[in-house]
Amino acid sequence: MSVVAVANQKGGVGKTTTAVNLAAATAEMGRRTLVIDADAQANATSALGAQHASLRMFDALLGEASLRDCIVATSWPLLDVAPSSMDLVAAEMELASRTDREYVLRTLLLDVAPEYELVLIDCGPSLGLMTLNALAAADGAIAPVQCEYLALEGLTALLETVRRVQTHVHPGLHLLGVIATMYDGRTRLSQDVATQLKSHISSTFDTIIPRSIRLSEAPSHQRPIIDYAPTSRGAEAYRELAGELLRRLAALPPSTIYRGGVVDGVKA
């Protein structure tokens, strides 16, 4: 199992869109995939039609249910979701007093590691405890960046957080790359931001996600783009991105986190 955190402390840059549609694309490729909604806004949950689930990430994080009990099968083969809710804000406060507060999600994932090939964690728009949990649980992080200058400036804080997690919490975390999203090739601004990403961050993905009405519409129909508009530019972009992500994951050193019930060499 590979675990990827989709993170950026800035809101509105395409984190949920990327998590949901990447997951659907990898499932379409035959990979058993799980989306963990680690955002109290629960947008990934509603986008995948799991908003009425009885158990949610709040229950798992507080030890009131196992992660397996919280997982909901979606309408798409090989794609499951662990739903969220506004209660996640309270869960973060509850976890703050625990000595293992950074590793709670990692420990929960051990229970389902044999069942999935890929886990995508949709992080909230902050660098708080839930995002720290996601980074501590992940083999790699990807950062969607909207093609606007303010979004580009906000990337610095995320990159610094990744470096601190690598130093103090999880040395095995890799920055898999940055993704240019909401790209409008008709504007000089989008072109300039995409060019700056490529020139300053070597790990920037080759795939660029276009600004698309179809991508914006799909969540309201509770369907990923590859189902809602399978031949659209957005669907093709996420298929390409999924292939690129899987190639980057395959190039990483073998993970020791989720093999044989071990967390960084310590039996869970």
Side-chain angles (χ1 to χ4, degrees), residues 46-75:
S46 59
L48 291 171
Q51 64 270 36
H52 301 301
S54 56
L55 292 173
R56 300 167 185 264
M57 285 302 300
F58 171 84
D59 302 289
L61 290 164
L62 267 62
E64 297 173 2
S66 69
L67 179 58
R68 180 179 281 106
D69 290 338
C70 297
I71 291 171
V72 175
T74 71
S75 300

Side-chain angles (χ1 to χ4, degrees), residues 57-257:
M57 285 302 300
F58 171 84
D59 302 289
L61 290 164
L62 267 62
E64 297 173 2
S66 69
L67 179 58
R68 180 179 281 106
D69 290 338
C70 297
I71 291 171
V72 175
T74 71
S75 300
W76 300 275
L78 303 180
L79 179 57
D80 296 341
V81 59
S84 182
S85 64
M86 284 301 296
D87 291 339
L88 206 61
V89 175
E92 188 160 342
M93 291 188 288
E94 292 282 343
L95 294 178
S97 61
R98 291 180 52 162
T99 56
D100 64 340
R101 56 185 172 270
E102 300 95 343
Y103 301 104
V104 176
L105 181 54
R106 178 193 283 195
T107 302
L108 289 173
L109 278 166
L110 286 168
D111 188 40
V112 299
E115 299 168 27
Y116 295 97
E117 293 173 77
L118 179 64
V119 176
L120 287 159
I121 307 173
D122 182 28
C123 300
S126 77
L127 297 176
L129 186 53
M130 282 310 305
T131 297
L132 181 58
N133 261 261
L135 294 173
D139 299 296
I142 57 177
V145 178
Q146 185 180 0
C147 287
E148 294 185 0
Y149 280 118
L150 290 179
L152 188 61
E153 290 176 359
L155 183 61
T156 304
L158 175 65
L159 297 179
E160 179 58 30
T161 297
V162 169
R163 282 191 287 268
R164 288 179 179 175
V165 170
Q166 290 169 330
T167 301
H168 302 292
V169 178
H170 177 20
L173 176 68
H174 299 268
L175 178 62
L176 289 166
V178 173
I179 306 158
T181 62
M182 304 181 195
Y183 177 83
D184 186 345
R186 299 169 300 177
T187 69
R188 176 63 65 84
L189 178 60
S190 281
Q191 295 171 20
D192 288 349
V193 171
T195 299
Q196 286 199 36
L197 280 176
K198 272 288 191 183
S199 62
H200 289 94
I201 302 176
S202 60
S203 62
T204 299
F205 283 88
D206 293 329
T207 305
I208 294 175
I209 306 301
R211 186 177 291 277
S212 164
I213 295 298
R214 295 294 194 194
L215 277 172
S216 300
E217 290 173 346
S220 66
H221 295 272
Q222 298 181 350
R223 296 161 69 186
I225 189 65
I226 63 171
D227 180 67
Y228 177 68
T231 60
S232 65
R233 290 186 306 134
E236 289 304 319
Y238 274 110
R239 287 188 180 101
E240 291 174 13
L241 183 61
E244 200 173 350
L245 174 64
L246 292 175
R247 289 191 294 273
R248 294 192 182 196
L249 285 170
L252 293 182
S255 171
T256 59
I257 298 178

